[in-house]
Amino acid sequence: WSHAVKRIEEVRGLRGRQFQEDASPMAHPIRPESYIAMDNFYTATVYTKGAEVIRMYHTLLGEELFRKGMDLYFQRHDGSAVTCDDFRQAMADASHRNLSQFERWYTQAGTPVLKAEGRYIAEESKYVLKLSQSCPSTPGQATKLPFHMPVKIGLIGKDDKKEILASQLCELTEDSKTFEFKGVTQEPVISLLRGLSAPVKIEMETTDSDLAFLMAYDTDDFNRWEASQRLMNRVLLSVYEDIKSGKTPQPLPEDFIHAMKQVLTATAKDKQLQAYMLLLPDEQTLSGNLDLIDPTALHKARAHVKQTIAKKLEAEFRAKYASLSTGAEYKLTADEVGRRRMRNLCLSYLVSSDAEDSTSIAASHFKSANSMTDKLAALAELVNLSGTERESALAVFYEDAKGDALVINKWFALQAMASAEDTLEKVKALSKHSSFTLKNPNRVRSLFGIFGGNMHIFHSEDGKGYEFLADAIIELDAINPQIAARLLGPFGLWKRYDENRQSMMKAQLQRILDKQGLSPDTFEVASRYVNAQ
């Protein structure tokens, strides 16, 4: 696995879970000031954002000084209880740097926004970059002070398509600061926030052609992926707005289709990176860009864009799928993992194309799979369909699992995440399956937890998804209040939906709160959601 692929996987998790938490009434700093139930703070913020903060020390100080800081930290505190301040002080003392402002990453909640404005001054061979930061208000924190933010950038020349400024660190400690880069002899395209050097959202006016340029020529592999995501986001949200307002979506931009084709047809050394660059952002991540979320329109927009890409590039997807279908013996190597990931991505697009043989391709993929990765990929496509192939594959997968708990969890999870119209009824039936029990936390997460993240089905307009999950939370609270409280997460952003959905979600939250003997864990989360401003 390359560093870029590992970082992509980390950032997908950060944006899909932690950014959502920061936007909810349960937003809290990495070091919470108070709580009712400590169990409620084993969260994505404490762990995932906390890990990002450790990573920022490394970015700010560099490998050598970070290592010295770690050595000093263990020398001082090995075997004793410590605080965040102890770690920060060790880093400061080892590097002889003042890191007092860096403490704000521990004390301030919310996802900061980094705004960038760049301009090239040709007559002075200079690129000027203005960086500004802000952070939205969160419960109990109406205003925020500036963070100490490491912003790693590079410049790629438009003419020769080569890097003219290698990765350079800009430290933003004020509300706004301007940086100048001299000796820039051609107009550049900026590669901003390389490696997501700080856990922030980016605001910068960038053309579609510049994003396509970065997809092709950026020397930072993570930022090549990031450019693809920003371009996909732009296209997806444009289609979303059309569908939401009742319009027929405009044709997808030719530059976008061309950029996707270039990535798809390339002979890539890192096929895992290639696959991630073709993978559309999921609905959870996309919803983070919206003030008011229409989950139905969002699901339709993503399905429309994926199907359009699949149809326009069907021949290329078929050719790539065939070239990767080597029938090779299973090996756990980076090359083979990449081959499987890319082949499975091609399968997903081919199924989305609605070609006559798409179901049979998925079924054949499932039957010939010699790894769990390939089998799961095929089943993930089949569960979205109806008919005998789906039911047959599910039965075979369950039988092949031979009771293995982790594999059975996957079987439940794939069905809970399906986009088929009968998913809720399937999940209800699965909750009564002989292999399901409320006494196994992982089994509960694999069904109820995954279902709550299935935006299209959970947020169905009739409110039945809300009622079903609320019933599960009420029943589970008496058995495992910690897991019950965590299952409340999908209700957290209720104020960002239409009035009808708001009313139904709030009613279910109130029904949970009205339960006699409700645990402190579930009470704390549900009450904060209901009383959200």
Side-chain angles (χ1 to χ4, degrees):
W1 285 259
S2 65
H3 288 296
V5 167
K6 183 68 171 67
R7 187 61 183 148
I8 287 165
E9 291 170 348
E10 292 168 351
V11 170
R12 279 168 55 83
L14 177 76
R15 288 173 174 163
R17 292 185 60 232
Q18 198 281 316
F19 280 17
Q20 294 283 321
E21 195 167 85
D22 265 348
S24 80
M26 279 298 288
H28 57 275
I30 292 170
R31 186 174 64 197
E33 295 297 325
S34 63
Y35 52 85
I36 295 175
M38 187 59 206
D39 293 321
N40 287 333
F41 290 96
Y42 295 107
T43 62
T45 296
V46 170
Y47 286 96
T48 308
K49 190 174 183 178
E52 290 292 318
V53 169
I54 301 298
R55 191 176 189 276
M56 281 192 287
Y57 282 115
H58 186 279
T59 301
L60 282 168
L61 304 181
E63 179 72 31
E64 184 178 346
L65 290 177
F66 181 80
R67 178 71 258 180
K68 286 184 178 179
M70 288 297 298
D71 290 342
L72 181 60
Y73 173 71
F74 286 119
Q75 179 186 325
R76 287 177 175 176
H77 304 293
D78 188 23
S80 61
V82 293
T83 66
C84 299
D85 291 334
D86 292 327
F87 187 85
R88 181 169 55 86
Q89 193 60 53
M91 289 293 163
D93 291 346
S95 63
H96 303 292
R97 292 198 57 179
N98 182 354
L99 297 175
S100 56
Q101 185 179 349
F102 197 79
E103 185 186 18
R104 292 172 189 168
W105 285 105
Y106 293 105
T107 60
Q108 296 186 152
T111 304
V113 177
L114 174 68
K115 184 176 181 180
E117 301 170 83
R119 60 192 179 94
Y120 176 58
I121 305 175
E123 57 271 22
E124 298 180 35
S125 299
K126 181 170 69 176
Y127 184 79
V128 180
L129 176 66
K130 180 182 178 183
L131 297 177
S132 308
Q133 62 168 300
S134 61
C135 189
S137 61
T138 52
Q141 294 184 341
T143 58
K144 310 293 172 71
L145 295 171
F147 292 86
H148 186 170
M149 191 180 294
V151 182
K152 193 178 286 188
I153 72 149
L155 296 176
I156 313 297
K158 276 192 173 181
D159 295 339
D160 63 11
K161 302 175 177 59
K162 293 181 180 178
E163 187 173 67
I164 53 178
L165 178 70
S167 290
Q168 185 160 328
L169 187 65
C170 302
E171 296 189 33
L172 181 62
T173 56
E174 307 148 58
D175 288 325
S176 182
K177 186 176 180 180
T178 298
F179 300 84
E180 293 187 357
F181 305 96
K182 297 178 180 178
V184 181
T185 57
Q186 59 180 295
E187 185 177 0
V189 177
I190 186 170
S191 173
L192 181 67
L193 204 69
R194 286 185 155 182
L196 200 79
S197 54
V200 303
K201 293 183 177 181
I202 300 172
E203 285 185 3
M204 184 176 188
E205 289 188 12
T206 312
T207 64
D208 289 356
S209 58
D210 279 352
L211 291 175
F213 177 89
L214 290 171
M215 284 175 67
Y217 303 112
D218 200 329
T219 53
D220 183 281
D221 283 341
F222 174 87
N223 270 35
R224 287 182 61 215
W225 170 79
E226 180 75 342
S228 75
Q229 296 301 288
R230 290 175 65 191
L231 187 54
M232 288 173 181
N233 268 310
R234 190 171 293 178
V235 171
L236 283 157
L237 294 177
S238 175
V239 172
Y240 165 80
E241 290 297 336
D242 284 343
I243 291 175
K244 185 182 175 185
S245 56
K247 300 176 185 175
T248 300
Q250 293 293 311
L252 302 191
E254 286 302 318
D255 283 352
F256 172 66
I257 297 296
H258 178 69
M260 295 289 283
K261 183 177 179 179
Q262 277 192 309
V263 175
L264 173 60
T265 56
T267 304
K269 183 178 179 181
D270 188 344
K271 291 183 175 61
Q272 291 194 70
L273 175 63
Q274 183 182 29
Y276 274 125
M277 288 183 68
L278 293 166
L279 182 64
L280 295 176
D282 61 35
E283 291 165 34
Q284 290 274 17
T285 302
L286 286 167
S287 70
N289 298 289
L290 303 171
D291 294 325
L292 187 67
I293 305 166
D294 182 336
T296 302
L298 193 59
H299 178 75
K300 288 179 179 178
R302 190 177 186 278
H304 172 81
V305 171
K306 187 175 181 182
Q307 185 179 72
T308 303
I309 296 168
K311 287 186 172 182
K312 283 185 174 291
L313 302 179
E314 183 181 345
E316 289 81 3
F317 277 114
R318 284 183 181 274
K320 183 66 74 172
Y321 181 80
S323 71
L324 297 169
S325 300
T326 61
E329 181 182 345
Y330 175 80
K331 292 179 183 176
L332 186 58
T333 64
D335 285 345
E336 278 298 291
V337 169
R339 181 187 67 81
R340 286 190 289 271
R341 188 183 294 278
M342 187 62 192
R343 180 170 175 259
N344 290 334
L345 177 123
C346 290
L347 170 69
S348 184
Y349 272 103
L350 288 172
V351 172
S352 293
S353 73
D354 275 348
E356 287 186 12
D357 61 346
S358 59
T359 302
S360 63
I361 293 173
S364 175
H365 192 108
F366 178 82
K367 291 169 185 173
S368 64
N370 65 354
S371 69
M372 183 59 69
T373 301
D374 287 349
K375 191 174 284 189
L376 285 170
L379 192 57
E381 300 304 323
L382 291 168
V383 294
N384 295 322
L385 309 175
S386 58
T388 57
E389 293 288 6
R390 175 180 75 170
E391 301 309 320
S392 173
L394 284 168
V396 169
F397 189 91
Y398 183 82
E399 184 64 29
D400 287 350
K402 293 182 170 57
D404 184 294
L406 294 177
V407 179
I408 296 295
N409 286 344
K410 295 287 188 184
W411 183 77
F412 277 103
L414 284 174
Q415 294 177 81
M417 201 60 201
S419 61
E421 293 304 318
D422 63 349
T423 295
L424 177 56
E425 296 309 312
K426 282 277 185 183
V427 172
K428 285 181 177 179
L430 287 168
S431 69
K432 302 183 187 308
H433 192 277
S434 59
S435 291
F436 184 79
T437 172
L438 289 174
K439 295 180 180 179
N440 183 322
N442 287 335
R443 192 59 44 88
V444 170
R445 291 188 191 98
S446 69
L447 188 63
F448 296 145
I450 296 297
F451 174 76
N454 187 342
M455 291 185 68
H456 167 52
I457 304 297
F458 176 67
H459 292 288
S460 62
E461 293 183 67
D462 59 13
K464 290 182 178 178
Y466 307 147
E467 184 180 356
F468 170 72
L469 189 57
D471 286 343
I473 290 168
I474 290 169
E475 185 178 2
L476 184 63
D477 185 67
I479 300 170
N480 191 330
Q482 292 86 5
I483 300 299
R486 283 178 174 79
L487 290 180
L488 280 162
F491 289 102
L493 299 178
W494 65 274
K495 296 198 82 170
R496 287 175 58 193
Y497 290 84
D498 59 84
E499 288 185 9
N500 184 48
R501 287 186 173 91
Q502 283 188 30
S503 174
M504 291 188 293
M505 278 192 273
K506 188 175 182 181
Q508 294 304 326
L509 285 169
Q510 191 60 57
R511 185 164 72 90
I512 292 167
L513 284 169
D514 290 342
K515 184 211 168 208
Q516 195 128 22
L518 190 69
S519 71
D521 303 72
T522 304
F523 171 80
E524 179 175 25
V525 178
S527 60
R528 286 181 69 166
Y529 286 169
V530 164
N531 297 317
Q533 298 299 313

